[in-house]
Amino acid sequence: MRTVITGGAGFIGSHLTEHLLSSGDEVTVLDDLSTGSVDNLAAVADHPRLTFVEGSILDTELLGETMAGHDRVFHLAAAVGVRLIVDDPLHGLRVNIHGTENVMEAAREHRLAVLLASTSEVYGKNTADRLAEDSDRILGSALLSRWTYAGAKGIDEAFAHAYATRYDVPLVIVRLFNTVGPRQTGRYGMVVPNLVGQALRGEPLTVFGDGQQTRCFSFVADVVPALVALAECPAADKLAVNLGGLTEISIMSLAARIASRLDSPSPITLVPYAEAYGPGYEDMRRRVPDNTLAGRLVGFAPRATIEEIIDRVAEAIAVPAPAR
Ligand code: UDP
């Protein structure tokens, strides 16, 4: 397969790049290095089947040139992370909505199959016991910058789906639930690298709100093979599919597990949302995936425990990848 990965120098993208190279693909990474880094690709930098193109999915000419001659695209490039979205909602909206439109147009023109990486954020404030793919989206005010990400990714999905249906482009949409692992940066707010970094440095662990909000973290090494399997699963065509972790954990107990696992003297500090993200911030209280569809389609059965995830993230932070 000749595969393009937009956002291939990012956290999930770089793991996917390594995975596809090891299974024999020719891989072209398109990344503007805004949040990704060539350091993430250090292990495969000299691989003969890897081509790296620095550029944006907003550059339609470059995108078309890059995608021509390939069989499929994993569209992972996006503005992600609550911090980034709250700080610059306009950028997030542009990259996420126009970027996906550009990828779909280039896919149609050059006949590529598309995997669109989406997010559990599309369910918004829905606190259902298990969020299935047809669960409702419950979003807050359109003018609260926090909701622009959820809004944009929902539009992305709708756009990609309508486009793929109209022009007969193979498409699968994958909704990722808090994927974590080595190379994820805490810079844009992601809780696991943030708290692990704080624990390793002996700084207070910042738990936002009351800490009773929950998430189901999934490990990148469980998620990446499932992404590839879904891209290669004809029965997944035009579907949205959840991929998430099995264990629901509150952020307060996550912080406690991190401190104890890493033998850290750090105290846990509660930080009000307004202080962490600015006024008017609304969090998701709960976000639990129903993985039944992914299980049925590709046998998705995540294995990593939260302890393993903490260990792997801590190792990666303690031993940074070599700079190029
Ligand atoms: N969070 C926290 N401390 C941090 C960073 C995040 O308590 O240093 C909280 C955040 O408010 C949210 C949860 O952890 O309730 C997960 O945040 P993240 O940004 O990782 O993912 P998302 O909000 O997209 O689920």
Side-chain angles (χ1 to χ4, degrees), residues 118-128 130-140 147 150-151 153-154 157 174-177 240-243 284 286-290 293:
S118 186
T119 165
S120 56
E121 286 262 330
V122 297
Y123 298 111
K125 293 191 271 191
N126 189 331
T127 55
R130 300 248 162 254
L131 291 162
E133 285 80 357
D134 60 357
S135 294
D136 286 340
R137 291 195 284 150
I138 305 177
L139 304 186
W147 293 111
K153 292 304 282 190
E157 289 193 9
V174 180
R175 294 186 183 143
L176 300 171
F177 284 66
V241 185
N242 289 338
L243 290 181
M284 321 274 186
R286 182 167 196 230
R287 206 193 267 152
V288 184
D290 181 340
L293 182 59

Side-chain angles (χ1 to χ4, degrees), residues 3-324:
T3 300
V4 175
I5 305 177
T6 71
F11 155 52
I12 302 175
S14 63
H15 288 278
L16 178 63
T17 300
E18 289 176 1
H19 183 88
L20 289 178
L21 285 170
S22 69
S23 49
D25 278 23
E26 276 175 37
V27 178
T28 301
V29 165
L30 176 68
D31 200 300
D32 68 359
L33 301 180
S34 55
T35 55
S37 160
V38 285
D39 293 349
N40 288 337
L41 294 171
V44 289
D46 300 320
H47 198 290
R49 277 182 280 104
L50 175 65
T51 305
F52 177 76
V53 178
E54 182 175 345
S56 168
I57 51 173
L58 297 178
D59 181 344
T60 46
E61 205 173 313
L62 178 69
L63 186 63
E65 278 167 23
T66 305
M67 284 172 58
H70 291 75
D71 304 303
R72 61 182 178 180
V73 56
F74 287 76
H75 176 35
L76 272 58
V80 298
V82 173
R83 180 80 283 141
L84 193 72
I85 300 298
V86 168
D87 287 349
D88 194 351
L90 186 57
H91 171 75
L93 287 160
R94 280 204 180 111
V95 170
N96 293 343
I97 296 176
H98 297 315
T100 296
E101 178 172 4
N102 294 344
V103 167
M104 292 308 296
E105 277 172 7
R108 171 171 75 109
E109 189 180 345
H110 299 289
R111 305 189 149 278
L112 280 77
V114 179
L115 178 139
L116 170 64
S118 186
T119 165
S120 56
E121 286 262 330
V122 297
Y123 298 111
K125 293 191 271 191
N126 189 331
T127 55
D129 279 344
R130 300 248 162 254
L131 291 162
E133 285 80 357
D134 60 357
S135 294
D136 286 340
R137 291 195 284 150
I138 305 177
L139 304 186
S141 163
L143 299 186
L144 264 186
S145 61
R146 191 266 175 275
W147 293 111
T148 58
Y149 181 55
K153 292 304 282 190
I155 296 287
D156 265 16
E157 289 193 9
F159 186 91
H161 192 265
Y163 203 96
T165 304
R166 167 78 66 91
Y167 297 110
D168 202 18
V169 176
L171 169 75
V172 58
I173 297 167
V174 180
R175 294 186 183 143
L176 300 171
F177 284 66
N178 294 86
T179 309
V180 296
R183 301 183 202 143
Q184 184 178 40
T185 164
R187 213 175 310 145
Y188 309 107
M190 277 69 165
V191 68
V192 172
N194 221 19
L195 297 185
V196 167
Q198 289 166 340
L200 291 173
R201 293 189 298 270
E203 297 167 2
L205 271 54
T206 54
V207 169
F208 301 160
D210 64 5
Q212 296 312 305
Q213 68 274 32
T214 67
R215 296 293 187 270
C216 294
F217 295 97
S218 53
F219 190 48
V220 66
D222 285 327
V223 167
V224 160
L227 288 179
V228 177
L230 284 167
E232 296 176 354
C233 174
D237 189 45
K238 311 284 187 290
L239 297 183
V241 185
N242 289 338
L243 290 181
L246 299 178
T247 312
E248 182 176 13
I249 183 170
S250 74
I251 301 304
M252 180 55 89
S253 57
L254 172 73
R257 300 270 271 277
I258 288 173
S260 109
R261 184 82 187 165
L262 301 179
D263 258 333
S264 169
S266 294
I268 295 173
T269 313
L270 288 179
V271 180
Y273 285 121
E275 213 174 286
Y277 299 116
Y281 185 81
E282 291 180 301
D283 200 3
M284 321 274 186
R285 288 303 287 172
R286 182 167 196 230
R287 206 193 267 152
V288 184
D290 181 340
N291 289 319
T292 308
L293 182 59
R296 199 169 72 228
L297 289 171
V298 297
F300 178 62
R303 280 204 285 271
T305 62
I306 196 74
E307 275 72 25
E308 279 176 75
I309 293 174
I310 293 167
D311 289 352
R312 297 290 92 76
V313 170
E315 283 162 17
I317 291 179
V319 188
R324 287 185 65 204

